[in-house]
Amino acid sequence: MFGTGYEMHSRMTKVVVIGSGAREHALVRALRRGGGAREIVAIPGNPGIAREARCVPAQPSLSDAALAESPDLVVVGPEAPLAEGFADRMAQRGVPCFGPLQAAARIESSKAFAKEIMLAAGVPTPRAAIFEEAAAAREHARSEGACVVKLDGLAAGKGVIVADDGAAAAAAVDELWKPGARLLIEERLRGREVSIIALCDGENVVPLPPARDHKRLLDGDRGPNTGGMGAVCPPADATQELIDLTVRTILEPTARELARRGTPFVGALYAGLMLTAQGPQVLEFNCRLGDPEAQAILLRLRSDPLPLFFAAAQRRLAGQKPVWDSRTAVAVVLAAHGYPGAPRAMDEIHGLEALAAEEGDDLWVLHAGTKPVAVASSPSPRSAPAPGRRGRARTVPRPASRSPECRAAPTSPRRRCNWRGAGKDPEGNSTACCSASSRACSSRRWEASFSSTW
Ligand code: AMP
């Protein structure tokens, strides 16, 4: 079913995947099912990944550990190492790396830089003013009324406040301000959001199918925003026309502008878009695959990702054509009780063995922030907060029929997986496991015992 399309090396190819989340687990899974003679190493990986690839600690440093493996290719999952120059160290040693150099990773690590690139490239994006001084920012925010206040720099999803009026905007400035900070105060747009991620080799872009993440913690679009409770790929309203328009007016001009400045972007260029009456506008760029978007996107990939990543890293992406499953994929994040505020660690997770028996091309169970504990004779995973994404435990992506977007997803046999000790929040809602359906999907409650059918 999966053509390898990969004849470059006759010997075993060694691929190192950097990261420890469910996105990296999905990368490992996709690379494994791509076939071909290959060894996959994850640094540092996680207990789920360890079942299917060798995991190596990031010692004495992430880049040292990667170089010690003498890999043929390194695929970087998270943004932090890229912002810190991980890809530069690979380049210095001649190791092909799927992930941008530090200078190009600024498209994510600095929102001010991203705005500058977009303005220079004529990419549609809401207008913004940049402030290095709190009083001026506060005054501007108050006069703007409804707007969005953004902290410049990597903030793990916590650096953006959408304000309804001037007073809230001024308060947002005070909340985000810290000495030496830069703030963007941006025009507030309305519309539906969609993410279009493209593989990029510094010049050519190959778009992946669009995805939409779901951030609200609780079912029925309630509860706080989170790092993402799930994703659907593709959302029903993301047409081929939208993809073509985004490539033409956003992804290609951005790649060209970065290359023109001598900082070509190699890796996954992620455009977070708002769909407006005037067309798609860029709210943010990321310099890597999204999490949990990647879990839904990669489940649908029906060709080998290795030649794609290689071609991007080796600047020869033109003509690459990934093959996609025509069905929609839905990723559901199961989070520990108390997530995202104060996730409770070490609750045991049950039911994974039964799920494992059903895993295959249509169902993946992916780990993040889990820790194996010895129970009787065999180790069973517990949820443990991982650095960065505290308390998110795993993603379960599966494909559904194409349309409407997830209504067809919950039709498969009963899935069982639960957390011992999972409880209710003060309103009596289950918070251990949550729905990942996007707004247009049929609403669905995930019980703490997670015996829902889907
Ligand atoms: P960002 O990290 O810039 O993508 O912002 C996080 C979230 O804030 C986005 O996914 C949007 O929901 C919201 N957001 C960001 N910028 C805007 C904007 N200009 N107008 C409306 N909502 C926005």
Side-chain angles (χ1 to χ4, degrees):
M1 181 174 195
F2 298 98
T4 68
Y6 179 69
E7 283 89 33
M8 275 188 52
H9 297 252
S10 50
R11 65 181 177 81
M12 178 85 94
T13 304
K14 190 192 263 194
V15 188
V16 164
V17 174
I18 302 295
S20 62
R23 166 183 50 205
E24 289 73 32
H25 196 172
L27 280 166
V28 167
R29 190 67 67 85
L31 284 163
R32 279 190 67 223
R33 83 172 173 183
R38 67 190 57 166
E39 180 188 358
I40 302 166
V41 178
I43 307 176
N46 67 36
I49 296 175
R51 292 178 173 194
E52 44 200 295
R54 183 159 59 84
C55 293
V56 171
Q59 301 295 343
S61 71
L62 197 56
S63 54
D64 287 333
L67 291 169
E69 292 292 330
S70 303
D72 296 296
L73 177 72
V74 180
V75 178
V76 186
E79 64 277 17
L82 296 167
E84 287 163 12
F86 175 89
D88 303 57
R89 288 192 278 285
M90 297 304 110
Q92 282 153 15
R93 297 285 290 273
V95 175
C97 180
F98 181 78
L101 300 177
Q102 188 174 37
R106 284 183 73 212
I107 196 100
E108 175 166 0
S109 61
S110 167
K111 290 180 189 297
F113 176 73
K115 268 299 178 216
E116 186 187 315
I117 295 290
M118 286 189 269
L119 288 179
V123 165
T125 183
R127 80 185 146 69
I130 299 172
F131 295 88
E132 296 183 345
E133 207 255 304
R138 207 179 294 117
E139 195 178 320
H140 181 79
R142 205 179 295 281
S143 68
E144 275 289 288
C147 64
V148 183
V149 184
K150 300 185 174 185
L151 182 65
D152 192 34
L154 291 184
K158 296 191 176 62
V160 175
I161 297 177
V162 179
D164 287 331
D165 54 39
V173 168
D174 291 333
E175 191 177 329
L176 292 179
W177 185 263
K178 54 187 178 193
R182 269 201 298 191
L183 291 183
L184 276 78
I185 298 178
E186 193 169 87
E187 173 193 2
R188 179 171 170 182
L189 301 181
R190 314 239 173 209
R192 302 197 74 188
E193 291 179 51
V194 66
S195 301
I196 299 190
I197 306 172
L199 306 180
C200 193
D201 68 357
E203 186 184 347
N204 304 289
V205 304
V206 172
L208 306 180
R212 175 172 291 138
D213 72 347
H214 181 82
K215 287 196 159 56
R216 301 294 289 270
L217 178 70
L218 300 172
D219 204 5
D221 251 347
R222 292 174 307 116
N225 277 342
T226 66
M229 297 310 298
V232 59
C233 168
D237 55 350
T239 58
Q240 187 59 43
E241 194 188 355
L242 172 71
I243 301 170
D244 295 343
L245 187 64
T246 302
V247 167
R248 209 172 55 247
T249 63
I250 292 170
L251 295 163
E252 284 179 346
T254 301
R256 270 201 301 273
E257 177 61 19
L258 285 164
R260 195 187 65 76
R261 293 173 179 233
T263 55
F265 187 99
V266 170
L269 182 58
Y270 173 128
L273 307 172
M274 182 80 88
L275 307 180
T276 71
Q278 289 72 42
Q281 298 215 29
V282 179
L283 301 184
E284 65 164 344
F285 274 119
N286 293 326
C287 66
R288 35 78 196 177
L289 294 168
D291 183 345
E293 293 91 330
Q295 291 89 301
I297 294 170
L298 290 171
L299 185 76
R300 292 186 56 216
L301 183 60
R302 286 290 179 260
S303 51
D304 185 0
L306 187 57
L308 295 172
F309 296 151
F310 249 120
Q314 296 178 331
R315 312 286 183 93
R316 47 176 187 78
L317 201 50
Q320 289 285 340
K321 287 198 171 40
V323 180
W324 302 100
D325 193 311
S326 60
R327 293 169 297 168
T328 298
V330 178
V332 178
V333 174
L334 311 182
H337 177 80
Y339 177 82
R344 189 169 66 209
M346 302 310 289
D347 283 342
E348 193 177 332
I349 301 164
H350 299 271
L352 290 176
E353 305 72 24
L355 271 180
E358 296 172 49
E359 279 195 85
D361 284 344
D362 285 2
L363 174 68
W364 287 352
V365 178
L366 305 167
H367 287 232
T370 58
K371 187 174 173 182
V373 285
V375 176
S377 58
S378 66
S380 78
R382 288 180 187 269
S383 59
R389 280 282 164 85
R390 296 183 66 233
R392 295 214 315 179
R394 55 178 25 80
T395 322
V396 188
R398 62 177 301 115
S401 60
R402 177 73 177 76
S403 175
E405 49 189 48
C406 348
R407 219 170 300 147
T411 55
S412 62
R414 212 164 164 81
R415 312 271 166 223
R416 298 188 67 90
C417 170
N418 59 57
W419 260 246
R420 177 188 296 157
K424 306 270 183 191
D425 71 9
E427 290 177 315
N429 299 306
S430 127
T431 53
C433 307
C434 299
S435 164
S437 50
S438 59
R439 198 182 290 266
C441 301
S442 56
S443 177
R444 190 158 292 273
R445 157 166 288 203
W446 296 86
E447 299 298 338
S449 61
F450 195 57
S451 55
S452 312
T453 303
W454 65 291

